[in-house]
Amino acid sequence: MYNDQCQREGVVDFSVLLLRCYVLLQANQLLREHYQRRFAHVLVDECQDTNALQYKWLKLLAGHGSTHEGAVFAVGDDDQSIYAFRGADVANMAAFEREFHVANLIKLEQNYRSHGNILQCANALIEHNDKRLGKSLWTEAGDGEPVRVYESMTDAQEAHWLLE
């Protein structure tokens, strides 16, 4: 029903728009080469939240595997991937590193927002994820307050505890 309604109104949603553009660029070499020249430098932000189609888009626009390969820069944090429910695949980050022959991987491990005790807990939890690329967060901000666990029966009780 959704697709029928979109068809009647002549509209597409974002995922269909991506797919149609990808198919067009893939099938039309002249158009593809035009955009590869126009976008000689490509920046991918939040790479951990890209899906399979978006990763294919990247390879197509970057001219991956062709003589038109442009400069590609990707930023992401595999420990902050939250859009799997929308098809995002954190494995795209490892694929990017492998397929684009990343020679200069920079890990941003220094944290400026949290204290050491929080980061120690975070590192202890995320190290069990065997699909992560790996990093160890640290800070110069000192240990901070000890981490405490509080369990409440309701959100109102939790809010009251936080306020206290």
Side-chain angles (χ1 to χ4, degrees), residues 2 6 11-22 49-51 53-54 57 86:
Y2 173 77
C6 287
V11 297
V12 295
D13 62 21
F14 186 67
S15 60
V16 174
L17 183 63
L18 281 178
L19 179 59
R20 287 185 182 177
C21 291
Y22 175 78
D49 292 327
T50 59
N51 61 35
L53 180 58
Q54 290 167 328
W57 250 92
R86 292 180 63 188

Side-chain angles (χ1 to χ4, degrees), residues 29-87:
Q29 181 180 348
L30 290 175
L31 185 64
R32 180 176 62 250
E33 289 176 352
H34 166 79
Y35 283 104
Q36 287 170 343
R37 283 188 301 275
R38 183 167 179 197
F39 302 113
H41 298 87
V42 178
L43 167 64
V44 181
D45 193 16
E46 304 294 350
C47 188
Q48 77 275 3
D49 292 327
T50 59
N51 61 35
L53 180 58
Q54 290 167 328
Y55 188 70
K56 287 180 178 182
W57 250 92
L58 171 63
K59 293 195 310 185
L60 197 63
L61 280 178
H64 189 66
S66 75
T67 57
H68 299 287
E69 284 197 40
V72 182
F73 186 88
V75 177
D77 185 346
D78 56 322
D79 292 327
Q80 293 188 32
S81 180
I82 60 172
Y83 289 106
F85 70 94
R86 292 180 63 188

